[in-house]
Amino acid sequence: MTHDAPNPPDPLPATGAHGTEADGRRLTTRETAERLGVKPETVYAYVSRGQLTSRRAPGGRGSTFDAAEVDSLSRRTGRRESSAAAAGELVFRTGITLIQPDRYFFRGVDAAELARRHSYEEVAEWIWTGELHRGVRFTAPPESLAAARHTAAALPPHSSSTDRLRAAVAAAAATDPLRFDLSPEGVLNSARGLLPTLVGALPTAEGADVDLRDGDSLASQLWPRLCGVRADAASLAVLDTALALLADHDLAASTLAARVAASTHAHPYAVVSAGLGALEGPLHGAASGAAHRMLSEAVGRGGAAPVVADHLRAGRRIPGLGHRLYTGEDPRATVLFALLDEVPQAAPALEAARAVVATAARHTPLHANVDLAMAVLSVACGMPAEAGETVFAVSRTAGWIAHAMEEYVERPLRLRPSGQYTGPRPPQPLPPAG
């Protein structure tokens, strides 16, 4: 997961022998590097990524660069690329999420407070548009929902929820003839229909009483896909808040994958498919399953100490603890733990989670992350181990769409890094026929 630093200073005014960005003159490599605040080597890295266009200088000595294009790149990168490039990282300017050591923000608003006070749909609209629409609900187009359900149901019984979500996205895309409309309104129309389609394509849990009505929240629609017991108001509030909290988290691996897809002007469904592919890695969205299994074991064994000891003895990291972006407890976990305190049946799992944190603290200075909080919900309500991943995937779809909308207005195909070839030096002889 990549952390976007706090807002950078505005780029310095363009100066130098070749004038301002408006005069159309060319800059030398040295002048371009100075204007961007990077090394000359980094200028050519921008060229290889497709972020700058070079032209051979008169006489064939060196390259020149368009001043307007250089200044546009400077505004986008905020002159932060120098250290990031040296570290081999990609850095983007984004107006969606800012992460600080102990909190995070959606479009400048405290995300935890936003999720406490507003539904997932309202938070999604805020992330997409910067506008808050009270009581907004999303509706699945009937043709899209039917195709997604049919396709997801055709998978083998052992298929995971993420398998079914990927299949549902592909089916929904095929039914949307306007999927290549990348205008903001076109993308939003697709997104508002895709989210309830994804949820509606998931099978209902065994014993679940599905009595949904038009206008039900996405959390209400998702609950019977996760749990066979009807949700009480407190439990449903936890799920809805979790969806809102997880909607975006800057440039996590799946979001980067989504932005790469968007940089090719792939349609929103393809962007979501790219995000789902990266999400399924055990170090990303699937991490919540490990926390669920660990917490289930702690509850079953009547204490956290033996479970933590087993992990330490085997040299395994303790699931649900630690986050590279937060110095203390993950603020998303803090919000969910407070809400879980209001859910009576969550008490044993919540006690076990706190015991895991306290026991582990004797050996490692790690705090609870959102995976542990999601594990409390899934263990307490009898959900499967993959429930957290399902919630994550549905929720983060909103963030992937928001990042796609940002990427669509950037220079196409700009996310093209160069490979450092380490294979045999050419020319090599042709291999013998087998």
CSV table of all heavy atoms in Angstrom, one decimal, residues 12 15 21 32 101 205 222 258 266 269 282 301 310 353 398:
chain,number,residue,atom,x,y,z
A,12,LEU,N,7.3,25.7,-8.0
A,12,LEU,CA,7.9,27.0,-8.2
A,12,LEU,C,7.5,27.6,-9.5
A,12,LEU,O,7.4,26.8,-10.5
A,12,LEU,CB,9.4,26.9,-8.0
A,12,LEU,CG,9.9,26.5,-6.6
A,12,LEU,CD1,11.4,26.4,-6.6
A,12,LEU,CD2,9.4,27.4,-5.5
A,15,THR,N,10.9,29.5,-14.6
A,15,THR,CA,11.8,30.6,-15.0
A,15,THR,C,12.9,30.0,-15.9
A,15,THR,O,13.0,28.8,-16.0
A,15,THR,CB,12.5,31.3,-13.7
A,15,THR,OG1,13.2,30.2,-13.0
A,15,THR,CG2,11.4,31.9,-12.8
A,21,GLU,N,5.8,28.7,-19.5
A,21,GLU,CA,5.2,27.6,-20.2
A,21,GLU,C,4.3,28.1,-21.3
A,21,GLU,O,4.0,27.3,-22.2
A,21,GLU,CB,4.3,26.8,-19.2
A,21,GLU,CG,3.2,27.6,-18.6
A,21,GLU,CD,2.3,26.8,-17.7
A,21,GLU,OE1,1.4,26.0,-18.2
A,21,GLU,OE2,2.5,26.8,-16.5
A,32,THR,N,15.1,21.1,-17.7
A,32,THR,CA,13.9,20.3,-17.3
A,32,THR,C,14.0,19.7,-15.9
A,32,THR,O,13.1,19.8,-15.1
A,32,THR,CB,13.7,19.2,-18.4
A,32,THR,OG1,13.5,19.9,-19.6
A,32,THR,CG2,12.5,18.4,-18.0
A,101,PRO,N,-0.6,9.9,10.2
A,101,PRO,CA,-0.1,8.8,11.1
A,101,PRO,C,-1.2,8.2,12.0
A,101,PRO,O,-1.1,7.1,12.4
A,101,PRO,CB,1.0,9.5,12.0
A,101,PRO,CG,1.5,10.6,11.1
A,101,PRO,CD,0.3,11.1,10.3
A,205,ALA,N,-26.7,-16.8,2.2
A,205,ALA,CA,-26.1,-17.7,3.2
A,205,ALA,C,-27.2,-18.7,3.5
A,205,ALA,O,-28.4,-18.4,3.5
A,205,ALA,CB,-25.7,-16.9,4.4
A,222,LEU,N,-26.4,-6.9,1.4
A,222,LEU,CA,-25.2,-7.7,1.6
A,222,LEU,C,-25.3,-8.6,2.8
A,222,LEU,O,-24.8,-9.8,2.7
A,222,LEU,CB,-24.0,-6.8,1.7
A,222,LEU,CG,-22.6,-7.5,1.9
A,222,LEU,CD1,-22.3,-8.5,0.7
A,222,LEU,CD2,-21.5,-6.5,2.0
A,258,ALA,N,-6.0,-0.8,-10.5
A,258,ALA,CA,-7.2,-0.1,-11.1
A,258,ALA,C,-6.8,1.1,-11.9
A,258,ALA,O,-7.3,1.4,-13.0
A,258,ALA,CB,-8.2,0.2,-10.0
A,266,ALA,N,-9.5,1.8,-20.2
A,266,ALA,CA,-10.4,0.7,-20.0
A,266,ALA,C,-11.7,1.2,-19.3
A,266,ALA,O,-11.6,2.1,-18.5
A,266,ALA,CB,-9.7,-0.4,-19.2
A,269,TYR,N,-15.9,-1.2,-15.7
A,269,TYR,CA,-16.0,-2.7,-15.3
A,269,TYR,C,-14.6,-3.3,-15.3
A,269,TYR,O,-14.3,-4.1,-14.5
A,269,TYR,CB,-17.0,-3.4,-16.2
A,269,TYR,CG,-18.4,-2.8,-16.2
A,269,TYR,CD1,-18.7,-1.8,-17.1
A,269,TYR,CD2,-19.3,-3.3,-15.3
A,269,TYR,CE1,-20.0,-1.3,-17.1
A,269,TYR,CE2,-20.6,-2.7,-15.3
A,269,TYR,CZ,-21.0,-1.7,-16.2
A,269,TYR,OH,-22.2,-1.2,-16.2
A,282,PRO,N,-3.1,-12.8,-0.7
A,282,PRO,CA,-3.2,-13.0,0.7
A,282,PRO,C,-2.6,-11.9,1.6
A,282,PRO,O,-2.9,-11.8,2.8
A,282,PRO,CB,-2.4,-14.3,0.9
A,282,PRO,CG,-1.5,-14.4,-0.2
A,282,PRO,CD,-2.2,-13.8,-1.4
A,301,ARG,N,-10.4,-21.8,22.1
A,301,ARG,CA,-9.4,-22.3,23.1
A,301,ARG,C,-9.5,-21.5,24.4
A,301,ARG,O,-8.8,-21.8,25.4
A,301,ARG,CB,-8.0,-22.2,22.6
A,301,ARG,CG,-7.8,-23.1,21.4
A,301,ARG,CD,-6.4,-22.9,20.7
A,301,ARG,NE,-5.3,-23.3,21.6
A,301,ARG,CZ,-4.0,-23.4,21.2
A,301,ARG,NH1,-3.7,-23.0,20.0
A,301,ARG,NH2,-3.1,-23.8,22.0
A,310,ASP,N,1.6,-19.8,19.6
A,310,ASP,CA,1.8,-20.6,18.4
A,310,ASP,C,2.3,-19.9,17.2
A,310,ASP,O,3.2,-20.4,16.5
A,310,ASP,CB,0.5,-21.3,18.1
A,310,ASP,CG,0.1,-22.4,19.1
A,310,ASP,OD1,1.0,-22.8,19.9
A,310,ASP,OD2,-1.0,-22.9,19.0
A,353,ALA,N,-10.2,-10.5,20.9
A,353,ALA,CA,-9.4,-9.6,20.0
A,353,ALA,C,-8.6,-8.7,20.9
A,353,ALA,O,-7.4,-8.5,20.6
A,353,ALA,CB,-10.3,-8.8,19.1
A,398,ALA,N,-16.0,1.3,-4.8
A,398,ALA,CA,-16.3,2.8,-4.9
A,398,ALA,C,-15.0,3.5,-5.1
A,398,ALA,O,-14.9,4.5,-5.8
A,398,ALA,CB,-17.0,3.2,-3.7
